[in-house]
Amino acid sequence: MPALFEVVELGPGVYAAVSDIAGAAVGNAAIIDTGDKTLVIDSFMTAQAARELRTEVSRLTGRSAFMLVNTHWHGDHTWGNQEFAEIPIVSTARTVELMITDTPADLTAYEAELDAHLAALRKKLESEDAEERSMAKRRIFGVEHLKVAAPGLRITLPDILFEDRLVIEGERRVELLTYGGGHTDSDVFAWLPDDRIVIAGDLCWNRIHPRTQDGHPSAWADILDRMAALGPVKIHPGHGRPGGPEIPEILAPYMRTVAGYVEDAAADPATLPPPPGSEAWDTPERMRAGVAKLREVG
């Protein structure tokens, strides 16, 4: 069994790879058996996590992956691509542009940044705040894995691009859909109509405050409404554990609240309360940082 993520069966031949946001994989991934081919959605943050994902693909389906899909450009969903470089990788054109922009120009400088981040986290282990110490301890594990992966990091770009919809036919039909930009400028999710399963990428987060700083909260809410209208029974989010249709139904009003926070420039982001219903979610500081960043970029 994998050490860096957990496998959860969503349905026969459909598997969620669930990571710890502070670990080596960071984002979630998925494995879909279409009957004669195996499709992988997202590739984690590190090569070592992606290698475990490849092993699970073979173990669970009896074959190698024939295609990898990147739901969006963030490194925790794409930096494992190098372990799938021999197969087609699918995304939107805008995702590729953003991946290129985000690529570390100097890997030596990137490793130095990781060293500085580790030093800051280790300093927090001395904090009097028990919650801060606990979070630092969890995050150190993940950053140490990034350090291991950094020297061999090779950004591997998607080579099959689509605009609105790409259908993969088999015994199981998989529709790759994009309704534009919400979490980022361009987000893809996988819809399995016969199973009524959505592999949502970072359009959905389950009981974790989403990263909003690269996104468009109002448009994101509209996308979530459209996703919910498909009538999914199960949803695998980009972060957090799989759930049901309640995930987009809760997140859409959350995003509209965040959009209101961004527009209300008089309110100090540091004092903003979590949107209704999210009071017990992890990392509210991410929500506040996102609002501050979105105000900066206008």
Side-chain angles (χ1 to χ4, degrees), residues 176-249:
L176 303 178
L177 303 173
T178 177
Y179 296 156
H183 172 63
T184 67
D185 285 357
S186 182
D187 301 291
V188 170
F189 66 94
W191 168 233
L192 285 58
D194 295 334
D195 305 270
R196 312 213 68 76
I197 294 173
V198 163
I199 311 297
D202 278 8
L203 287 168
C204 287
W205 298 53
N206 192 7
R207 300 190 63 78
I208 302 170
H209 287 275
R211 175 183 170 124
T212 58
Q213 65 189 57
D214 301 316
H216 312 278
S218 291
W220 192 342
D222 292 342
I223 290 169
L224 291 166
D225 286 342
R226 293 180 67 183
M227 181 187 291
L230 293 171
V233 173
K234 295 182 181 177
I235 293 181
H236 180 38
H239 295 273
R241 300 192 67 78
E246 74 281 354
I247 297 178
E249 291 168 359

Side-chain angles (χ1 to χ4, degrees), residues 7 21 29 44 158 161 170 172 221 231 281:
V7 174
I21 199 167
F44 293 141
L161 309 180
R172 166 177 283 117
W281 294 5

Side-chain angles (χ1 to χ4, degrees), residues 43 68-70 72-73 78-104 154-161:
S43 63
L68 170 68
V69 178
N70 287 155
H72 63 291
W73 66 269
T78 63
W79 281 13
N81 282 8
Q82 66 191 61
E83 296 299 317
F84 295 89
E86 78 285 358
I87 64 173
I89 303 177
V90 176
S91 78
T92 65
R94 180 60 177 150
T95 290
V96 171
E97 293 172 357
L98 291 165
M99 286 177 66
I100 293 170
T101 300
D102 185 58
T103 299
R154 300 188 309 278
I155 301 300
T156 304
L157 299 175
D159 50 8
I160 295 179
L161 309 180

